[in-house]
């Protein structure tokens, strides 16, 4: 019988085609960049997207220190963390975090993590993100392809 068969294709860990991509963050707005990166990590741009499987790409972000915030968020936005001790609540602005070692990494990871699913899958997906403050990265062995993040919606 020559009929078309429409079957839903569900990806699994073995059939997922994961790629390595490089994203240049120069002059990108933090939230808009991170929402696109979260979709790449999740695999939403792929035709065989499956919600409960890690079928997204490994994303390398370069030039992370050149990301920008819109408006007055650079000085007015507050990141809150807790040390675990009584009275141990600490507050930082993005301007203060930029001066620290790996501060820009924390800003981008915080934004991307909030856009990923909560639970086991989200904790696994955030490990597919690599943030580098400069133009160089140490993932050349994976032969990542450079993409223009502005082409994605």
């Amino acid at each position: 019988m020559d009929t078309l068969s429409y079957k839903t294709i569900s990806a699994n860990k073995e059939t997922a085609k994961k790629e390595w991509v490089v994203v240049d963050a120069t002059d990108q707005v933090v939230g808009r960049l991170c929402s696109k990166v979260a979709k790449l990590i999740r695999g939403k741009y792929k035709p065989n997207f499956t919600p409960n499987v890690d079928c997204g790409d490994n994303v390398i972000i370069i030039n992370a220190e050149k990301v920008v915030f819109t408006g007055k968020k650079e000085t007015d936005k507050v990141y809150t963390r807790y040390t675990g001790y009584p009275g141990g609540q600490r507050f930082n602005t993005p301007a203060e975090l930029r001066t620290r070692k790996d501060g820009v990494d924390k800003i981008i990871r915080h934004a991307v993590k909030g856009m990923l699913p909560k639970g086991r899958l989200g904790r696994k997906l955030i490990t597919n993100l690599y943030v580098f403050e400069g133009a160089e990265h140490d993932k050349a062995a994976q032969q990542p392809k450079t993409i223009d993040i502005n082409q994605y919606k």
Side-chain angles (χ1 to χ4, degrees):
M1 188 169 182
D2 268 346
T3 61
L4 291 173
S5 175
Y6 296 104
K7 292 187 178 178
T8 303
I9 299 169
S10 293
N12 57 29
K13 194 164 44 172
E14 291 79 29
T15 62
K17 295 179 180 73
K18 296 176 71 66
E19 298 175 348
W20 286 79
V21 295
V22 175
V23 174
D24 189 0
T26 304
D27 297 328
Q28 297 284 333
V29 178
V30 174
R32 295 174 191 184
L33 168 75
C34 291
S35 66
K36 294 172 186 176
V37 167
K39 281 186 179 182
L40 279 171
I41 291 174
R42 187 89 198 274
K44 289 274 215 162
Y45 292 117
K46 294 190 174 190
N48 63 343
F49 168 69
T50 308
N52 60 333
V53 177
D54 175 12
C55 57
D57 296 333
N58 294 298
V59 179
I60 302 165
I61 298 178
I62 59 172
N63 293 320
E65 79 274 356
K66 297 179 183 172
V67 294
V68 295
F69 284 93
T70 57
K72 297 191 291 183
K73 292 189 195 86
E74 188 75 34
T75 55
D76 292 355
K77 182 176 176 68
V78 176
Y79 290 104
T80 306
R81 64 187 175 88
Y82 181 62
T83 63
Y85 289 95
Q89 199 171 19
R90 304 287 185 257
F91 305 98
N92 293 108
T93 64
E96 292 169 353
L97 281 177
R98 281 184 193 269
T99 61
R100 290 188 180 173
K101 182 177 183 281
D102 290 338
V104 178
D105 178 69
K106 286 184 171 68
I107 290 171
I108 292 178
R109 281 189 185 278
H110 183 271
V112 172
K113 185 179 178 184
M115 298 175 193
L116 290 175
K118 312 310 183 261
R120 285 187 295 185
L121 181 62
R123 289 191 295 273
K124 170 72 175 83
L125 289 174
I126 196 68
T127 62
N128 295 335
L129 176 65
Y130 303 89
V131 181
F132 296 95
E133 293 190 14
E136 300 297 320
H137 62 84
D138 61 359
K139 304 293 179 193
Q142 278 73 28
Q143 295 153 354
K145 65 177 186 178
T146 304
I147 61 168
D148 182 17
I149 199 69
N150 296 322
Q151 299 298 320
Y152 292 91
K153 291 198 181 228

